[in-house]
Amino acid sequence: MTGPMVEVRGLDVAFGSVQVLHGVDLAVERGRTVGVVGESGSGKSTLAKVLVGEVGPAAGSVIVGGDDLTRHDRTTLRRQRRRTQMIPQDPYSSLSPRRTIAQTLAEAIDPVRARVKTHEDQIASWLSLVGLEPEMMHRYPHEFSGGQRQRIAIARGLVIEPDVVIADEITSALDVSVQAQILDLLAEIKESLGITVLFISHNLAVVQRVSDEVVVLYRGEVVEAGPVERIYADPQHWYTRRLLDADPGSPGFRLAS
């Protein structure tokens, strides 16, 4: 199969009279990581929700693996949506406090017949892959640290072996040392499984570390896109330059006097 794994063409999204995304175009090649950056309100999370089918577009197309998700019937769309999984920003609120980790992962594997015993070996394997002991599957979310819960969220997103993973601000609530561990884990899994990643963050240093290419969103529009090295070394749009100058890791960063 040729062509990008994810291709968005002329995407418009509106909530009532408020236009949130305007003619967004982007492409993510198979096995690559594209970082999406922008300030709060730029449309990053809305784009993520469109890609996993939580929000419908007013116009445009969303193509995953050659299939246009905006043109399918509900049954086909439901099947296609399993190819694209979201790793959430806040894993604690996304994990049911009344379910063990095994129950949560079993439901992700088979939403209709979520039997832990049937999928126990698979669950143990995925927990090991994200650096957790298999016996931890019988614990509840409150028994884990923030970094461990994010590892569980990654396992839940990957357990059905999707083609595309969307990581939406997945390190924003973590300590710096834990952030590094989660980023390293995601990079290792991406390489071993060959998955395609859309990495959404306001943290430019994090995006630079994990991404092959960068897309810059400003007020719902793509204002700049390209290889990460070029964008960070020679930004062409004033908004990109402003983001970089405001980032503590940037040479242009200055504290206000």
Side-chain angles (χ1 to χ4, degrees):
M1 187 181 296
T2 60
M5 176 56 72
V6 177
E7 189 171 10
V8 175
R9 301 174 181 168
L11 182 65
D12 290 349
V13 175
F15 297 130
S17 60
V18 179
Q19 191 81 12
V20 180
L21 294 176
H22 313 261
V24 170
D25 295 321
L26 68 85
V28 187
E29 299 294 332
R30 288 170 175 75
R32 304 280 282 177
T33 297
V34 171
V36 180
V37 300
E39 295 169 309
S40 178
S42 62
K44 303 187 305 296
S45 292
T46 298
L47 175 61
K49 290 176 181 178
V50 171
L51 291 171
V52 295
E54 292 182 11
V55 172
S61 58
V62 178
I63 301 166
V64 177
D67 289 319
D68 189 341
L69 304 188
T70 60
R71 298 180 181 274
H72 283 314
D73 57 47
R74 289 185 179 180
T75 301
T76 307
L77 182 59
R78 191 179 304 115
R79 185 170 61 249
Q80 286 296 111
R81 282 174 179 167
R82 285 177 67 82
R83 300 178 68 180
T84 306
Q85 291 293 303
M86 174 101 72
I87 301 173
Q89 177 178 354
D90 181 4
Y92 189 71
S93 64
S94 68
L95 297 172
S96 171
R98 296 183 177 85
R99 292 174 180 247
T100 65
I101 301 310
Q103 290 171 324
T104 295
L105 295 184
E107 184 180 38
I109 296 168
D110 188 345
V112 178
R113 294 177 295 276
R115 298 188 179 97
V116 171
K117 285 193 175 296
T118 302
H119 305 292
E120 194 165 16
D121 289 344
Q122 191 176 356
I123 292 168
S125 177
W126 279 101
L127 288 179
S128 295
L129 185 66
V130 298
L132 297 175
E133 297 297 327
E135 57 267 23
M136 290 179 171
M137 73 172 72
H138 303 297
R139 298 181 187 177
Y140 291 86
H142 72 271
E143 300 179 72
F144 295 90
S145 68
Q148 288 175 323
R149 286 195 291 265
Q150 194 56 274
R151 291 173 185 269
I152 293 165
I154 291 172
R156 183 177 62 178
L158 296 174
V159 74
I160 63 170
E161 300 184 28
D163 296 316
V164 180
V165 169
I166 301 173
D168 186 11
E169 299 278 10
I170 64 169
T171 60
S172 63
L174 303 176
D175 293 338
V176 173
S177 60
V178 180
Q179 283 185 19
Q181 295 171 14
I182 294 299
L183 293 175
D184 288 344
L185 172 65
L186 187 62
E188 291 169 7
I189 291 174
K190 175 204 160 189
E191 290 302 318
S192 63
L193 301 181
I195 57 175
T196 303
V197 179
L198 198 73
F199 193 93
I200 296 173
S201 180
H202 68 280
N203 188 322
L204 276 77
V206 168
V207 169
Q208 184 179 27
R209 176 172 176 169
V210 302
S211 303
D212 301 303
E213 298 175 47
V214 179
V215 172
V216 182
L217 277 179
Y218 175 62
R219 294 186 176 180
E221 297 185 37
V222 175
V223 295
E224 189 160 5
V228 64
E229 296 86 356
R230 199 275 295 165
I231 295 292
Y232 280 74
D234 186 26
Q236 300 298 301
H237 194 274
W238 67 265
Y239 179 68
T240 309
R241 291 194 294 271
R242 192 180 84 179
L243 287 177
L244 288 170
D245 288 345
D247 183 70
S250 167
F253 176 75
R254 296 289 185 275
L255 290 174
S257 57

